[in-house]
Amino acid sequence: MRAIRDRLRAAYGRPLLRPHHAPIDELILTVLSQNTNDRNRDVAYARLRRRFSSWAEVRDADEDEVEEAIRPGGISRIKAGRIQRILRALGDDDLSWLEEAPLPEARSYLCELPGVGRKTAACVLLFAYGRPEVPVDTHVYRVATRLGLFRPKASFNEAHDEMLRLVGDDAQEAYEVHVGLIRHGRRTCTARAPGCAGCPLLRMCPSRQE
Protein backbone atom coordinates (compact mmCIF):
# COMPACT_ATOMS: atom_id res chain seq x y z
CA MET A 1 0.00 0.00 0.00
CA ARG A 2 2.85 2.39 0.78
CA ALA A 3 4.46 1.64 -2.59
CA ILE A 4 1.17 2.34 -4.36
CA ARG A 5 0.75 5.57 -2.38
CA ASP A 6 4.27 6.74 -3.22
CA ARG A 7 3.88 6.09 -6.95
CA LEU A 8 0.49 7.79 -7.06
CA ARG A 9 1.96 10.73 -5.17
CA ALA A 10 4.77 11.04 -7.71
CA ALA A 11 2.30 10.89 -10.60
CA TYR A 12 -0.53 13.09 -9.33
CA GLY A 13 0.81 15.08 -6.39
CA ARG A 14 0.17 14.77 -2.66
CA PRO A 15 -3.30 15.87 -1.52
CA LEU A 16 -3.53 17.29 2.00
CA LEU A 17 -6.44 16.54 4.30
CA ARG A 18 -8.21 19.67 5.55
CA PRO A 19 -11.28 18.71 7.61
CA HIS A 20 -14.06 21.28 7.21
CA HIS A 21 -16.14 20.40 10.33
CA ALA A 22 -19.45 20.58 8.46
CA PRO A 23 -20.76 17.01 8.66
CA ILE A 24 -24.34 17.68 7.56
CA ASP A 25 -23.10 19.64 4.54
CA GLU A 26 -20.90 16.67 3.65
CA LEU A 27 -23.74 14.23 4.18
CA ILE A 28 -26.07 16.08 1.81
CA LEU A 29 -23.30 16.68 -0.73
CA THR A 30 -22.51 12.97 -0.82
CA VAL A 31 -26.17 12.08 -1.37
CA LEU A 32 -26.23 14.52 -4.28
CA SER A 33 -23.10 12.90 -5.74
CA GLN A 34 -24.83 9.57 -6.27
CA ASN A 35 -25.19 8.56 -9.93
CA THR A 36 -23.86 11.82 -11.32
CA ASN A 37 -20.60 13.68 -11.93
CA ASP A 38 -18.93 16.26 -9.70
CA ARG A 39 -20.08 19.22 -11.78
CA ASN A 40 -23.77 18.29 -11.64
CA ARG A 41 -23.46 17.50 -7.94
CA ASP A 42 -21.95 20.91 -7.23
CA VAL A 43 -24.59 22.73 -9.27
CA ALA A 44 -27.37 20.90 -7.43
CA TYR A 45 -25.80 21.62 -4.05
CA ALA A 46 -25.33 25.32 -4.82
CA ARG A 47 -28.94 25.64 -5.98
CA LEU A 48 -30.15 23.92 -2.81
CA ARG A 49 -28.19 26.27 -0.56
CA ARG A 50 -29.39 29.34 -2.47
CA ARG A 51 -33.01 28.22 -2.33
CA PHE A 52 -33.10 27.38 1.40
CA SER A 53 -31.51 29.28 4.26
CA SER A 54 -30.92 26.26 6.55
CA TRP A 55 -31.06 22.47 6.64
CA ALA A 56 -34.12 22.78 8.87
CA GLU A 57 -35.85 24.67 6.08
CA VAL A 58 -34.91 21.94 3.60
CA ARG A 59 -36.26 19.33 6.03
CA ASP A 60 -39.62 21.05 6.39
CA ALA A 61 -40.07 22.15 2.76
CA ASP A 62 -42.42 20.61 0.25
CA GLU A 63 -40.61 17.75 -1.46
CA ASP A 64 -41.36 19.25 -4.87
CA GLU A 65 -39.42 22.40 -3.94
CA VAL A 66 -36.38 20.38 -2.90
CA GLU A 67 -36.61 18.29 -6.05
CA GLU A 68 -36.71 21.38 -8.24
CA ALA A 69 -33.65 22.85 -6.51
CA ILE A 70 -31.51 19.75 -6.99
CA ARG A 71 -32.76 18.71 -10.44
CA PRO A 72 -29.39 19.25 -12.20
CA GLY A 73 -27.95 16.44 -10.05
CA GLY A 74 -30.14 13.75 -11.59
CA ILE A 75 -32.70 11.34 -10.05
CA SER A 76 -33.86 14.38 -8.14
CA ARG A 77 -37.11 12.89 -6.79
CA ILE A 78 -35.26 10.02 -5.14
CA LYS A 79 -32.55 12.29 -3.75
CA ALA A 80 -35.02 14.90 -2.49
CA GLY A 81 -36.91 12.29 -0.50
CA ARG A 82 -33.69 10.77 0.82
CA ILE A 83 -32.31 14.14 1.93
CA GLN A 84 -35.49 15.03 3.77
CA ARG A 85 -35.69 11.63 5.48
CA ILE A 86 -32.08 12.00 6.64
CA LEU A 87 -32.69 15.49 7.99
CA ARG A 88 -35.84 14.36 9.82
CA ALA A 89 -33.95 11.44 11.34
CA LEU A 90 -31.24 13.83 12.56
CA GLY A 91 -33.65 16.29 14.14
CA ASP A 92 -31.55 18.84 16.02
CA ASP A 93 -28.41 16.68 16.02
CA ASP A 94 -25.57 18.66 14.39
CA LEU A 95 -23.32 15.54 14.38
CA SER A 96 -20.52 17.40 16.15
CA TRP A 97 -20.14 14.42 18.50
CA LEU A 98 -18.81 12.34 15.59
CA GLU A 99 -15.43 14.02 15.94
CA GLU A 100 -14.67 12.35 19.28
CA ALA A 101 -16.90 9.28 19.24
CA PRO A 102 -15.38 5.81 18.84
CA LEU A 103 -15.06 5.25 15.11
CA PRO A 104 -17.23 2.09 14.95
CA GLU A 105 -19.99 3.89 16.87
CA ALA A 106 -19.83 6.94 14.59
CA ARG A 107 -19.84 4.77 11.47
CA SER A 108 -22.73 2.64 12.71
CA TYR A 109 -24.85 5.69 13.55
CA LEU A 110 -24.38 7.20 10.11
CA CYS A 111 -25.14 3.91 8.35
CA GLU A 112 -28.44 3.69 10.23
CA LEU A 113 -29.64 6.94 8.67
CA PRO A 114 -32.08 6.51 5.75
CA GLY A 115 -30.23 5.67 2.53
CA VAL A 116 -26.75 6.11 4.02
CA GLY A 117 -24.18 3.40 3.31
CA ARG A 118 -20.51 2.87 4.04
CA LYS A 119 -19.22 5.23 1.34
CA THR A 120 -21.37 8.15 2.49
CA ALA A 121 -20.50 7.51 6.13
CA ALA A 122 -16.80 7.32 5.26
CA CYS A 123 -16.99 10.63 3.37
CA VAL A 124 -18.56 12.38 6.36
CA LEU A 125 -16.03 11.00 8.83
CA LEU A 126 -12.96 11.61 6.66
CA PHE A 127 -13.75 14.97 5.06
CA ALA A 128 -15.62 16.61 7.93
CA TYR A 129 -13.55 15.44 10.89
CA GLY A 130 -10.37 13.83 9.57
CA ARG A 131 -11.27 10.39 10.91
CA PRO A 132 -9.34 7.52 9.27
CA GLU A 133 -11.74 6.19 6.63
CA VAL A 134 -11.34 5.32 2.94
CA PRO A 135 -14.50 6.02 0.93
CA VAL A 136 -14.75 3.37 -1.79
CA ASP A 137 -16.46 4.82 -4.84
CA THR A 138 -16.55 3.23 -8.31
CA HIS A 139 -13.04 4.50 -9.20
CA VAL A 140 -11.45 3.29 -5.96
CA TYR A 141 -13.24 -0.05 -6.26
CA ARG A 142 -12.16 -0.60 -9.88
CA VAL A 143 -8.52 0.37 -9.39
CA ALA A 144 -8.14 -1.49 -6.09
CA THR A 145 -9.69 -4.63 -7.61
CA ARG A 146 -7.29 -4.50 -10.56
CA LEU A 147 -4.39 -4.06 -8.13
CA GLY A 148 -5.53 -7.08 -6.13
CA LEU A 149 -6.07 -5.12 -2.91
CA PHE A 150 -9.20 -7.15 -2.26
CA ARG A 151 -10.82 -10.12 -3.93
CA PRO A 152 -12.73 -9.77 -7.20
CA LYS A 153 -16.45 -9.12 -6.76
CA ALA A 154 -16.01 -8.24 -3.08
CA SER A 155 -18.97 -6.42 -1.60
CA PHE A 156 -18.54 -2.70 -1.00
CA ASN A 157 -18.67 -3.32 2.75
CA GLU A 158 -15.85 -5.83 2.43
CA ALA A 159 -13.89 -3.43 0.22
CA HIS A 160 -14.24 -0.66 2.82
CA ASP A 161 -13.07 -2.97 5.59
CA GLU A 162 -10.05 -4.12 3.62
CA MET A 163 -9.00 -0.64 2.52
CA LEU A 164 -9.29 0.55 6.12
CA ARG A 165 -7.14 -2.37 7.27
CA LEU A 166 -4.50 -1.54 4.66
CA VAL A 167 -4.16 2.16 5.54
CA GLY A 168 -4.42 1.77 9.30
CA ASP A 169 -5.43 4.58 11.63
CA ASP A 170 -3.63 7.47 9.90
CA ALA A 171 -6.24 9.87 8.50
CA GLN A 172 -3.81 11.66 6.16
CA GLU A 173 -2.75 8.30 4.78
CA ALA A 174 -6.38 7.30 4.27
CA TYR A 175 -7.14 10.57 2.51
CA GLU A 176 -4.10 10.39 0.27
CA VAL A 177 -4.83 6.81 -0.77
CA HIS A 178 -8.49 7.67 -1.45
CA VAL A 179 -7.71 10.73 -3.58
CA GLY A 180 -4.76 9.08 -5.33
CA LEU A 181 -6.83 6.08 -6.41
CA ILE A 182 -9.63 8.34 -7.65
CA ARG A 183 -7.20 10.46 -9.68
CA HIS A 184 -5.62 7.33 -11.11
CA GLY A 185 -9.02 5.88 -11.97
CA ARG A 186 -10.13 9.02 -13.74
CA ARG A 187 -6.93 9.78 -15.64
CA THR A 188 -5.25 6.44 -16.34
CA CYS A 189 -6.96 3.31 -15.01
CA THR A 190 -10.27 4.06 -16.69
CA ALA A 191 -13.13 1.58 -16.92
CA ARG A 192 -12.68 1.16 -20.66
CA ALA A 193 -9.34 1.18 -22.47
CA PRO A 194 -7.14 1.92 -19.45
CA GLY A 195 -3.83 3.63 -20.24
CA CYS A 196 -1.63 0.76 -19.09
CA ALA A 197 1.36 1.86 -21.19
CA GLY A 198 1.78 5.03 -19.13
CA CYS A 199 0.63 3.62 -15.79
CA PRO A 200 2.91 4.36 -12.81
CA LEU A 201 1.66 1.16 -11.16
CA LEU A 202 2.11 -1.13 -14.16
CA ARG A 203 4.95 -3.25 -12.79
CA MET A 204 3.06 -4.07 -9.60
CA CYS A 205 -0.37 -4.57 -11.19
CA PRO A 206 -1.52 -8.21 -11.43
CA SER A 207 -4.13 -7.23 -14.05
CA ARG A 208 -1.64 -5.78 -16.55
CA GLN A 209 -1.74 -8.84 -18.81
CA GLU A 210 -5.49 -8.47 -19.23
Side-chain angles (χ1 to χ4, degrees):
M1 193 72 255
R2 285 193 294 269
I4 290 170
R5 178 208 61 195
D6 290 346
R7 294 185 186 193
L8 292 175
R9 181 188 293 176
Y12 308 113
R14 185 188 185 198
L16 295 177
L17 176 61
R18 295 184 176 89
H20 52 63
H21 294 84
I24 298 180
D25 294 24
E26 187 65 43
L27 189 54
I28 303 306
L29 187 69
T30 307
V31 171
L32 290 173
S33 74
Q34 296 164 357
N35 300 106
T36 193
N37 57 43
D38 290 353
R39 180 185 177 280
N40 290 342
R41 173 204 65 192
D42 291 344
V43 170
Y45 182 79
R47 282 167 53 103
L48 186 66
R49 296 312 301 265
R50 284 197 302 269
R51 174 65 182 79
F52 300 99
S53 61
S54 68
W55 293 125
E57 192 175 331
V58 174
R59 178 193 65 204
D60 298 335
D62 187 282
E63 187 175 335
D64 289 340
E65 293 184 64
V66 179
E67 180 188 6
E68 172 59 30
I70 65 173
R71 184 160 291 149
I75 57 172
S76 53
R77 172 58 72 174
I78 293 173
K79 291 178 181 178
R82 184 170 299 164
I83 287 168
Q84 289 190 305
R85 286 193 297 275
I86 289 171
L87 293 173
R88 287 168 189 151
L90 288 175
D92 296 327
D93 187 354
D94 63 3
L95 298 180
S96 58
W97 61 273
L98 294 177
E99 185 171 14
E100 302 296 337
L103 191 56
E105 179 184 330
R107 183 189 303 121
S108 177
Y109 177 84
L110 288 169
C111 288
E112 289 173 0
L113 293 172
V116 173
R118 281 291 297 274
K119 188 198 86 167
T120 300
C123 287
V124 172
L125 293 168
L126 179 63
F127 302 143
Y129 288 125
R131 307 297 303 270
E133 276 281 9
V134 183
V136 178
D137 69 353
T138 54
H139 298 293
V140 173
Y141 187 90
R142 179 179 66 254
V143 175
T145 300
R146 287 174 175 171
L147 289 170
L149 297 182
F150 41 77
R151 66 183 182 87
K153 299 184 180 179
S155 69
F156 271 81
N157 278 339
E158 182 181 336
H160 275 92
D161 289 340
E162 187 61 14
M163 292 302 296
L164 194 55
R165 186 188 70 80
L166 289 169
V167 302
D169 58 0
D170 186 316
Q172 172 58 38
E173 183 90 351
Y175 180 74
E176 185 170 357
V177 166
H178 167 73
V179 174
L181 290 174
I182 286 180
R183 289 174 175 174
H184 189 57
R186 287 175 173 171
R187 303 180 192 181
T188 304
C189 194
T190 52
R192 297 180 181 178
C196 294
C199 176
L201 306 177
L202 182 63
R203 291 179 61 189
M204 62 196 310
C205 181
S207 302
R208 61 185 181 276
Q209 300 300 332
E210 301 174 17

